[in-house]
Amino acid sequence: MNILVSGASGLVGSRLVKQLEKDGHKTQRLSRNKSSDAYWDSATYQVTPSAALDDLDAVIHLAGESIVGRWTAGKKERIFQSRVQSTTALAQALAARQEKPDVFIVASAIGYYGDRGEETLTEKSIAGEGFLSEVCKAWETAADPARAAGIRVVHLRFGMLLSPAGGALKTMLTPFKLGLGGRIGSGAQYVSWASLTDAVGSITHALNNTSIEGPINVVSPNPCTNIELTQALGAALSRPTVFPVPPFAARMVFGEMADALLLASQRVLPEKLSENGYQFQHIDIAETLKTLLSE
């Protein structure tokens, strides 16, 4: 296939491009860097050269402002607009092509579901409340022009992606290696996670399986609690985990982000991926962390 990938320099995108090329596909990178195969304006998200959108079999859109950091008004606006405006611009541009790609795969997140306690969540579950839920709803709706034009659209609702190369796990490693790790809040909140290997595998599975469309939860079949994650990481590093982070401390450091990402509970299952035959490489949190940290 001829595949255009945005966010190709990110944690998921860089691994994905390597896998796609290994599988024999031709990839083009879309970024703000004018030396890329294609670049887009940070204000309008118009793609240059426009011919980069011709003769494509698939577009995989992973780019977006990082959600990590204190959510000031400006940060929240960048989080929202970088996802919604870019997806809208791409969807409209692809819909207008005479020869359209077969599939438009767009990142999303399990933030769609909001804080749901112990409720088991699948792709059939309704949206929750809060800033991340609003972002995800608008993000997914932004792909409607492509959907209306007959392009198969897939929304990747990513959970916490685990890799020592980046993301949440890389951030956690330093304090845990120093023996300063511990649960956050009560530790009872559910964490829905996937290894980077399974995140990339889920994308390629959706790319090749034409029966998959709409949202798919990119998470392990076995969500764990925060305390289980804490204990598993401590065991993998042979370090104690006796320094809990109380909610007020998390909020003091991270503000609104603490409630949305660190203290929220989301017990999400990958129902669509499982029903469509995807075989997860990493299922158990303890074994997964041992494997990832021994590589």
Side-chain angles (χ1 to χ4, degrees):
M1 298 183 193
N2 185 17
I3 304 171
L4 181 69
V5 182
S6 80
S9 62
L11 180 66
V12 178
S14 56
R15 175 78 75 88
L16 174 64
V17 166
K18 289 179 182 178
Q19 185 61 53
L20 292 173
E21 292 177 348
K22 182 180 178 182
D23 292 342
H25 303 300
K26 177 185 176 183
T27 63
Q28 299 181 69
R29 294 161 176 79
L30 172 61
S31 76
R32 295 180 182 178
N33 189 335
K34 292 187 178 182
S35 64
S36 295
D37 302 309
Y39 70 93
W40 48 13
D41 181 89
S42 58
T44 65
Y45 292 100
Q46 297 303 305
V47 176
T48 303
S50 61
L53 298 179
D54 293 334
D55 302 318
L56 292 173
D57 297 296
V59 175
I60 303 175
H61 179 32
L62 305 174
E65 171 82 11
S66 172
I67 62 172
V68 177
R70 184 171 283 274
W71 289 355
T72 62
K75 176 74 169 178
K76 290 172 74 171
E77 181 69 10
R78 292 192 299 275
I79 289 171
F80 188 93
Q81 297 300 345
S82 66
R83 288 161 171 75
V84 177
Q85 285 191 358
S86 62
T87 303
T88 299
L90 265 180
Q92 290 176 341
L94 296 176
R97 313 312 286 180
Q98 185 171 355
E99 294 187 7
K100 301 170 179 58
D102 296 321
V103 60
F104 183 33
I105 299 178
V106 190
S108 184
I110 62 170
Y112 176 92
Y113 302 110
D115 184 0
R116 303 287 277 271
E118 296 187 359
E119 181 183 355
T120 299
L121 304 166
T122 71
E123 291 87 353
K124 299 183 183 72
S125 300
I126 62 172
E129 299 179 350
F131 172 65
L132 286 184
S133 179
E134 294 302 318
V135 170
C136 291
K137 285 187 288 185
W139 197 359
E140 295 183 10
T141 300
D144 282 352
R147 204 174 348 253
I151 300 170
R152 180 168 67 95
V153 176
V154 178
H155 302 286
L156 305 165
R157 290 181 182 166
F158 289 119
M160 178 189 287
L161 300 185
L162 299 180
S163 167
L169 181 56
K170 183 179 181 181
T171 302
M172 294 166 68
L173 283 178
T174 297
F176 273 75
K177 284 180 177 178
L178 294 172
L180 301 175
R183 72 179 189 273
I184 299 175
S186 69
Q189 67 271 31
Y190 276 90
V191 179
S192 295
W193 59 275
S195 69
L196 183 57
T197 298
D198 278 321
V200 170
S202 298
I203 297 171
T204 59
H205 189 74
L207 178 68
N208 296 316
N209 191 327
T210 58
S211 66
I212 295 178
E213 60 181 328
I216 59 171
N217 294 329
V218 183
V219 293
S220 160
N222 290 315
C224 64
T225 62
N226 174 264
I227 197 166
E228 288 170 340
L229 173 64
T230 298
Q231 292 171 343
L233 183 53
L237 295 170
S238 299
R239 294 291 188 275
T241 54
V242 295
F243 289 92
V245 179
F248 79 86
R251 294 183 182 113
M252 187 179 299
V253 174
F254 297 107
E256 185 181 350
M257 192 196 86
D259 285 299
L261 290 180
L262 306 178
L263 299 168
S265 181
Q266 295 170 321
R267 190 180 189 178
V268 184
L269 299 181
E271 187 172 81
K272 269 194 185 178
L273 282 171
S274 297
E275 288 177 349
N276 281 276
Y278 179 71
Q279 299 294 315
F280 284 85
Q281 300 299 304
H282 298 112
I283 295 176
D284 178 77
I285 188 62
E287 290 303 317
T288 297
L289 289 173
K290 286 180 183 177
T291 299
L292 294 179
L293 297 177
S294 65
E295 292 176 346

